[in-house]
Amino acid sequence: MKELEIKSTLQVYDSLEELPEDVRQLMQQSFDIRDKGYAPYSEFLVGAALLLENGKVVLGNNQENACYPSGLCAERTAIYYAGANYPNEPILKMALSAKSLKYRLTTPTPPCGACRQAIAEYELKQKKSIEIFFTGETGKVVKSYSLANLLPLIFDNSYL
Ligand code: THU
């Protein structure tokens, strides 16, 4: 038996002011779209702003449904729109933000497992890392250099 160690390195910014200007703008777009999310059941709003290589920004937020599993997370709403409309345009950066209407969200909120799997598909497809920035409500932001860094042991098409 051997032990396998999996390591991820993340960067933490204490405030939005520390972010590079283009990311700060992307994060602001993520906040704006987050606040338009449709989340009457969880009262938890999520926004995603994706910067494409051609400079376009694709936005998405969470869309809930009375039949709960029929809803969709912000990240997948945005990335599927990007995949549908800009199939050959690499995604360079992703700014994710979350906010609860019930309490103050102090922890930067990472994408859920299902969204990580979805983002992984596009990162592998475009053969270029996607930088992921995520935040809650305090201005503290976590950055991952790539999705792979957030999802060890990715299940990908090499298994099919
Ligand atoms: N949600 C997202 O939009 N992205 C995530 O990565 C985590 C969860 C949404 C789904 C649901 O509408 C609400 O947040 C509570 O789970």
Side-chain angles (χ1 to χ4, degrees):
M1 198 276 274
K2 273 195 293 190
E3 249 180 13
L4 183 66
E5 192 184 358
I6 300 173
K7 217 170 148 182
S8 283
T9 304
L10 299 169
Q11 291 189 316
V12 181
Y13 296 85
D14 284 328
S15 74
L16 296 171
E17 287 66 44
E18 280 183 27
L19 291 170
E21 180 55 25
D22 64 328
V23 179
R24 197 141 55 90
Q25 279 179 23
L26 200 62
M27 197 51 94
Q28 186 55 55
Q29 288 176 285
S30 161
F31 293 151
D32 294 344
I33 197 72
R34 173 198 66 190
D35 293 343
K36 294 181 192 159
Y38 178 60
Y41 306 106
S42 69
E43 298 187 71
F44 189 84
L45 295 167
V46 185
L50 279 49
L51 175 67
L52 311 186
E53 199 167 75
N54 65 3
K56 288 233 181 301
V57 174
V58 169
L59 305 173
N61 52 29
N62 53 332
Q63 296 294 317
E64 297 190 347
N65 193 284
C67 176
Y68 291 4
S70 299
L72 196 63
C73 290
E75 296 86 334
R76 278 176 286 162
T77 302
I79 208 164
Y80 291 150
Y81 185 92
N85 291 283
Y86 305 101
N88 301 314
E89 210 54 54
I91 300 160
L92 302 182
K93 297 176 191 191
M94 213 177 238
L96 309 175
S97 58
K99 162 171 138 183
S100 171
L101 300 179
K102 295 187 281 201
Y103 69 98
R104 183 168 148 82
L105 184 58
T106 52
T107 318
T109 312
C112 77
C115 287
R116 291 182 210 192
Q117 181 68 32
I119 300 165
E121 182 73 25
Y122 291 85
E123 187 168 270
L124 292 164
K125 176 185 168 216
Q126 70 184 35
K127 299 188 179 72
K128 200 174 226 183
S129 297
I130 301 175
E131 290 185 356
I132 300 176
F133 298 81
F134 53 90
T135 191
E137 288 183 74
T138 62
K140 186 170 162 181
V141 179
V142 176
K143 173 188 175 183
S144 174
Y145 284 110
S146 74
L147 186 281
N149 200 30
L150 292 178
L151 187 64
L153 307 179
I154 291 174
F155 178 85
D156 62 20
N157 61 14
S158 68
Y159 295 100
L160 300 178

